[in-house]
């Protein structure tokens, strides 16, 4: 039968994901205010 | 210790940047942003034991838990932002 695909790259921590989003948004805001 | 951690902090910060730049290659804008936050921070804070503690903690953590690299960068940015050097507005001498 078919072997289910495993998600390989799931070491992405939820806390890390939120921090990354916040950081990137701040960088974007800073760039546009310059 | 004479009370100033300036050189030590600079070395730790350099190590942190180096470590993080390898882990944030997908977003190359992150490291320059962190560096600019560092540049804008007050010299007193950059030479303080407090900054040394934060840096040491962030560096140890990022080395053991790379999957949380943005959490630590964000933490450091927040701390540096809180200690941004107040710019004296010399611009206000308009004619």
């Amino acid at each position: 039968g078919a072997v289910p695909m495993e998600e390989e790259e799931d070491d992405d921590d939820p806390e890390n994901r939120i921090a990354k989003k916040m950081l990137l948004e701040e960088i974007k805001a800073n760039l546009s205010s310059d | 210790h004479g009370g100033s951690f300036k050189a030590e902090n600079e070395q730790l910060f350099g190590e942190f940047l180096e470590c993080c730049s390898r882990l944030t290659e997908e977003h190359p804008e992150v490291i320059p942003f962190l560096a600019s936050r560092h540049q804008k921070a007050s010299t007193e804070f950059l030479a303080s034991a407090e900054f040394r503690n934060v840096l040491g903690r962030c560096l140890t953590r990022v080395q053991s838990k790379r999957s949380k690299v943005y959490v630590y960068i964000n933490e450091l940015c927040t701390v540096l932002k809180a200690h941004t050097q107040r710019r004296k507005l010399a611009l206000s001498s308009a004619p």
Side-chain angles (χ1 to χ4, degrees):
Chain A
V3 180
M5 290 269 281
E6 255 183 64
E7 280 182 47
E8 271 180 41
E9 228 184 296
D10 206 11
D11 59 347
D12 203 0
D13 190 285
E15 199 187 344
N16 191 53
R17 216 175 308 164
I18 296 168
K20 186 204 270 190
K21 197 174 161 230
M22 280 168 59
L23 195 63
L24 294 177
E25 275 173 12
E26 202 181 338
I27 295 173
K28 215 191 286 178
N30 254 271
L31 285 177
S32 59
S33 74
D34 250 358
Chain B
H1 239 288
S4 175
F5 293 90
K6 190 171 177 281
E8 195 177 339
N9 288 351
E10 275 174 14
Q11 197 203 325
L12 282 172
F13 186 70
E15 275 179 51
F16 185 76
L17 278 189
E18 199 190 308
C19 192
C20 291
S21 63
R22 272 179 269 131
L23 301 169
T24 59
E25 281 173 346
E26 47 172 358
H27 292 292
E29 69 271 37
V30 168
I31 297 302
F33 178 71
L34 180 58
S36 81
R37 277 268 186 270
H38 180 257
Q39 270 183 357
K40 287 175 190 166
S42 75
T43 33
E44 296 89 60
F45 178 65
L46 295 180
S48 69
E50 187 191 347
F51 186 47
R52 204 210 80 96
N53 291 340
V54 176
L55 265 177
R57 196 177 62 218
C58 286
L59 191 61
T60 316
R61 284 179 176 176
V62 81
Q63 283 163 346
S64 62
K65 264 194 180 276
R66 289 158 182 236
S67 60
K68 282 187 188 280
V69 61
Y70 288 99
V71 176
Y72 310 134
I73 295 178
N74 205 18
E75 189 180 325
L76 203 56
C77 276
T78 306
V79 172
L80 287 170
K81 191 180 178 182
H83 292 274
T84 298
Q85 202 156 32
R86 269 179 284 161
R87 271 189 255 169
K88 284 180 187 158
L89 290 175
L91 315 160
S92 55
S93 53

